[in-house]
Structures are given as structure tokens and as C-alpha cells.
Amino acid sequence: MDLQDFEAEDLYFNATIDPEIAALLEEASNLYPEPEAETLLLRAYFLAPEDLNVLVALYRYFYYQHRLPDALNVAHKAIAVSGKRLHLPEDWRHLTRLHLGQGVLVSMTLTRFYLMAHKGAGYLEMRLGELADAVGRLQTLVDIDSNDRLGAKALLVLAQEHLYEQQGVAVLRKAAG
């Protein structure tokens, strides 16, 4: 599947957004990095928990604040929301090319968003030391994206190296103990 081969479609940020939500996101953007920005983003989230604009804004806020566990939670929510719209399995471990082919029939751009959210989640899992999950998630992306259009292969190699290192340290500790 070539993830660059698609017709132009609207992206999540081109979707119609409630004016109140748009105002909250704009105000939060203007107040960043002040704590009030988070309050506004959370208010937007409670008003529109499945709006991808809100989820991306919240993800970015947490990510740039170095609150990686919070960013990962938002990435999981974005995956769940976009996956539901695409009729994809809830658990990434069951995701196949066939599923994605069906998702592409709904929306190629939303499918790319879904896959990029998985890539972001894999990166965050790696950073947080959740290496087995990162390797599994990223391996799934690499298996599906035959041309590595998402650029997940380099992240997979890095996550695998960290996992092997972690496993090697565990073996050494067990042998020494």
C-alpha cells in the first residue's frame, strides 16, 4: 500500500468546527505556555472530546510541555476516534493491510492521520520505556507501510536497539543476582 498515492481530501483541520471550540483553541494558542492554556484546552476537550482539532492541540500542548504520559493518553484517544470513524479494530495488534484498505475507502487522509497517530504513540512509548509496546506498534506500521512513507522504520530500529539493550541488562542482573 502506497500511503502517498491518494486524491486530495479535506484534512481534519479543514472540518467545520464549532465557533466556541475554535475560540477556545485560539485563546489557548495565544496563552501558550501559560497554565491557563491547558485549562482552555481541557474545556474544549470536555465540550468536544472527539474533535481531532482539539485532540491535536491537546497532544501538542502536553508534548511540548514534556508531559509525555499525558501526550500518549491523548494519542490513544486520537487513534480510537479516527479508528472508529474508519471502522478499524480497536486494538492495533489486530490491524492488517486489509483493514487499512477498507479504511482508505472511507478516507485516505483520515487513514494517514490514524497511522501517524500510531507512529507518535510508538515514539512516546519508546521514550517512556514501554519498549515492547513501541516495537510491536512500530513493527505493525512497517509491515503495513511497504514503502516506509510514514518513516516508522528508523524508529522501529531504534526501539528494537533499546529493547535489546534493556533485555541484555535484565539478563546480566539476573545472572549476577
Side-chain angles (χ1 to χ4, degrees):
M1 174 179 303
D2 188 345
L3 295 170
Q4 295 291 359
D5 184 24
F6 62 95
E7 299 294 321
E9 297 176 358
D10 282 343
L11 301 173
Y12 72 89
F13 49 80
N14 294 119
T16 303
I17 187 168
D18 180 286
E20 181 181 5
I21 302 301
L24 288 168
L25 295 178
E26 179 70 25
E27 190 175 352
S29 173
N30 292 335
L31 288 175
Y32 183 83
E34 301 303 320
E36 294 84 7
E38 180 178 357
T39 302
L40 294 166
L41 290 171
L42 291 174
R43 184 168 171 214
Y45 175 75
F46 287 118
L47 292 172
E50 295 197 350
D51 187 307
L52 295 178
N53 291 292
V54 172
L55 293 172
V56 169
L58 197 55
Y59 173 88
R60 287 179 177 164
Y61 178 84
F62 289 141
Y63 181 83
Y64 290 118
Q65 291 290 316
H66 306 284
R67 291 171 52 188
L68 302 185
D70 293 327
L72 181 57
N73 286 334
V74 176
H76 288 158
K77 177 68 175 182
I79 290 165
V81 168
S82 56
K84 184 172 131 185
R85 291 180 190 173
L86 295 167
H87 313 291
L88 298 177
E90 289 183 32
D91 187 338
W92 60 265
R93 292 166 194 87
H94 301 126
L95 186 64
T96 66
R97 282 185 181 200
L98 179 60
H99 292 119
L100 286 182
Q102 294 167 344
V104 165
L105 294 176
V106 175
S107 170
M108 181 58 158
T109 56
L110 187 57
T111 300
R112 282 184 51 79
F113 175 92
Y114 171 84
L115 293 171
M116 292 302 288
H118 272 296
K119 180 182 173 188
Y123 171 76
L124 291 172
E125 288 166 340
M126 183 176 61
R127 292 276 312 271
L128 291 167
E130 299 172 18
L131 297 172
D133 285 340
V135 167
R137 185 185 302 271
L138 294 168
Q139 184 66 61
T140 298
L141 290 178
V142 168
D143 291 346
I144 289 170
D145 180 13
S146 56
N147 295 321
D148 196 33
R149 298 290 193 179
L150 299 172
K153 191 177 282 186
L155 281 178
L156 172 61
V157 169
L158 188 59
Q160 287 171 329
E161 288 172 359
H162 288 306
L163 180 60
Y164 298 148
E165 180 180 297
Q166 184 183 66
Q167 290 171 339
V169 168
V171 167
L172 290 174
R173 284 185 184 152
K174 186 174 182 180

